């Protein structure tokens, strides 16, 4: 298999459907970023990383917001006012609500397909009251592809910023791409070796919420990936909600909001590896627990554990937990979220 085909297989297990029901007045497109043998495709539907078009029932590749993960009971109090949000996950709000940032058409602001560092910048204006969130919010995300001179890896940068225009509002964005380093259609990721540079995690309840607000050490638990460990080695000891698998939030060591190494993943059979760097305090490890005969590209079908996600983020449900670092953005403030995936072969 050509090297280019190998890396196309690495980017996503699958991708988002393109703009079902999108208005005719706003165009949805697919944009390729290519550097040498490495190619990434992006659509402005949900600011989504894609490879091929498939049905999206499992949140393949988009940006989640205005607040990613869950908000308990779809409510929070900010500056003495109670806000009620769209409920779309049991009794809670998930990934910004039913029509979060993943189900809107973003505007293409800049697109450079080739050259030394191909990139695309997408823009979305989240309006005051959208799904119950206060204030107008300007959001930009840039996907950038680059190569390291003299080193056998390519990098995919994801750079997001958001500006609160007129009111205070919670902001916590994440990128939800699935990865399988064995390549498309090559089974599950349970034999991938994972190392996470995190010694703590936030225990979650059956609703996948940090109801206690507690941060606990990973030592002595199935959540301990401080040393390189196969993803599947202790997965049977984890209850990710209502099915077995990881859907856990880790808290990183070191200074917050600084770029630092977050994770290293390697597939021994192919020799391919992924290293993640980022500036957020947490990452959600998700092992595709809910995939169940999900239609994928090229006629493939994806089952549980067909991929893994490393979702950089702030603390989950921080808006309801004053003991967690705040995710509130005040008027005129800018939220910045940077991450880089480094892929080697």
């Amino acid at each position: 298999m050509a090297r280019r085909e190998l890396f196309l297989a690495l980017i996503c297990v699958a991708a988002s459907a393109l703009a079902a029901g999108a208005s005719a007045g706003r165009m949805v497109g697919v944009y390729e970023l290519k550097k040498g043998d490495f190619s990434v495709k992006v659509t402005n539907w949900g600011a989504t990383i894609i490879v091929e078009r498939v049905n999206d029932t499992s949140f393949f590749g988009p940006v989640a917001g205005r607040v990613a993960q869950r908000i308990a009971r779809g409510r929070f109090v900010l500056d003495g006012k109670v806000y009620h949000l769209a409920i779309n996950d049991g009794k809670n709000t998930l990934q910004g609500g039913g029509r979060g940032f993943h189900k809107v058409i973003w505007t293409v602001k800049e697109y450079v397909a080739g050259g030394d560092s191909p990139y695309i910048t997408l823009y979305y204006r989240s309006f005051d009251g959208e799904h119950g969130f206060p204030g107008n919010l300007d959001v930009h995300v840039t996907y950038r592809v680059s190569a390291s001179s003299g080193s056998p890896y390519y990098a995919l940068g994801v750079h997001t910023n958001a500006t609160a225009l007129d009111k205070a509002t919670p902001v916590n964005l994440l990128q939800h791409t699935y990865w399988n380093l064995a390549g498309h259609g090559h089974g599950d990721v349970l034999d991938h070796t994972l190392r996470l540079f995190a010694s703590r995690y936030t225990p979650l309840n059956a609703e996948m919420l940090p109801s206690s607000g507690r941060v606990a050490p990973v030592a002595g638990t199935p959540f301990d990936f401080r040393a390189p460990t196969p993803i599947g080695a202790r997965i049977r000891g984890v209850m990710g909600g209502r099915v077995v698998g990881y859907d856990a939030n880790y808290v990183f060591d070191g200074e917050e909001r600084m770029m630092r190494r977050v994770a290293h993943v390697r597939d021994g059979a192919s020799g391919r590896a992924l290293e993640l760097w980022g500036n957020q305090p947490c990452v959600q490890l998700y092992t595709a627990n809910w995939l169940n005969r999900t239609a994928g590209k090229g006629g493939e079908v994806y089952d549980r554990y067909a991929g893994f996600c490393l979702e950089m983020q702030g603390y989950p449900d921080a808006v309801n937990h004053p003991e967690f670092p705040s995710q509130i953005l005040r008027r005129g403030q800018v939220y910045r979220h940077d991450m880089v995936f480094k892929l080697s072969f």
Side-chain angles (χ1 to χ4, degrees):
M1 182 184 293
R3 184 180 298 170
R4 180 174 183 271
E5 293 170 332
L6 285 174
F7 276 94
L8 282 175
L10 293 180
I11 288 299
C12 297
V13 172
S16 172
L18 295 180
S23 64
R26 300 191 66 187
M27 297 299 294
V28 174
V30 174
Y31 305 86
E32 185 175 24
L33 307 175
K34 190 174 186 299
K35 177 69 176 177
D37 296 325
F38 186 53
S39 175
V40 179
K41 291 181 181 178
V42 174
T43 175
N44 58 322
W45 176 247
T48 301
I49 295 174
I50 68 171
V51 175
E52 299 286 347
R53 178 175 180 264
V54 299
N55 295 323
D56 179 14
T57 59
S58 301
F59 220 79
F60 288 118
V63 170
R66 179 178 303 194
V67 175
Q69 300 301 343
R70 291 165 179 84
I71 294 180
R73 303 302 180 259
R75 70 180 298 278
F76 63 91
V77 179
L78 177 57
D79 295 336
K81 182 176 179 178
V82 179
Y83 291 91
H84 296 277
L85 311 175
I87 302 296
N88 65 325
D89 183 63
K91 299 177 181 180
N92 309 307
T93 298
L94 175 64
Q95 312 293 32
R99 188 179 173 272
F101 292 179
H102 60 295
K103 288 189 176 180
V104 298
I105 303 174
W106 294 56
T107 299
V108 178
K109 300 293 287 186
E110 294 184 87
Y111 173 48
V112 177
D116 290 338
S117 187
Y119 70 93
I120 185 170
T121 297
L122 304 168
Y123 163 76
Y124 179 64
R125 164 69 63 83
S126 180
F127 58 87
D128 184 16
E130 186 173 23
H131 291 296
F133 289 102
N136 292 292
L137 187 75
D138 274 356
V139 187
H140 293 81
V141 58
T142 297
Y143 295 111
R144 185 181 296 273
V145 169
S146 60
S148 176
S149 177
S151 298
Y153 76 78
Y154 291 92
L156 170 62
V158 184
H159 308 286
T160 308
N161 66 72
T163 304
L165 300 181
D166 44 26
K167 296 180 182 178
T169 184
V171 177
N172 183 21
L173 307 179
L174 63 76
Q175 216 291 329
H176 201 287
T177 296
Y178 287 70
W179 303 84
N180 186 327
L181 301 182
H184 170 63
H186 284 74
D188 61 46
V189 297
L190 297 182
D191 288 335
H192 284 32
T193 300
L194 168 66
R195 184 182 181 189
L196 287 173
F197 296 87
S199 61
R200 298 173 295 157
Y201 75 111
T202 55
L204 305 178
N205 63 18
E207 293 183 281
M208 305 309 297
L209 287 163
S211 57
S212 68
R214 184 168 59 94
V215 177
V218 298
T221 76
F223 299 96
D224 191 351
F225 286 96
R226 290 174 298 168
T229 305
I231 290 175
R234 297 186 293 263
I235 201 168
R236 297 297 171 186
V238 176
M239 289 301 295
R242 288 152 285 180
V243 298
V244 174
Y246 289 97
D247 197 353
N249 178 70
Y250 288 81
V251 179
F252 290 111
D253 305 324
E255 187 175 353
E256 291 187 6
R257 310 301 177 184
M258 298 292 292
M259 287 294 287
R260 60 197 183 282
R261 188 163 56 159
V262 170
H264 185 274
V265 191
R266 186 175 186 275
D267 173 49
S270 66
R272 301 169 193 155
L274 178 151
E275 187 170 275
L276 173 61
W277 289 69
N279 69 348
Q280 295 301 291
C282 301
V283 71
Q284 190 89 1
L285 169 64
Y286 176 57
T287 50
N289 311 327
W290 292 102
L291 291 187
N292 182 18
R293 305 298 295 169
T294 302
K297 66 176 184 175
E300 291 291 336
V301 175
Y302 304 128
D303 279 317
R304 187 185 299 180
Y305 315 135
F308 66 91
C309 301
L310 292 170
E311 309 161 29
M312 291 289 295
Q313 61 182 3
Y315 283 70
D317 199 26
V319 74
N320 287 312
H321 288 275
E323 65 273 27
F324 290 161
S326 175
Q327 292 293 133
I328 300 299
L329 200 65
R330 296 287 171 180
R331 177 182 177 181
Q333 289 184 331
V334 179
Y335 162 96
R336 300 187 187 280
H337 181 164
D338 297 306
M339 55 195 296
V340 178
F341 296 98
K342 297 180 179 180
L343 295 143
S344 60
F345 52 93

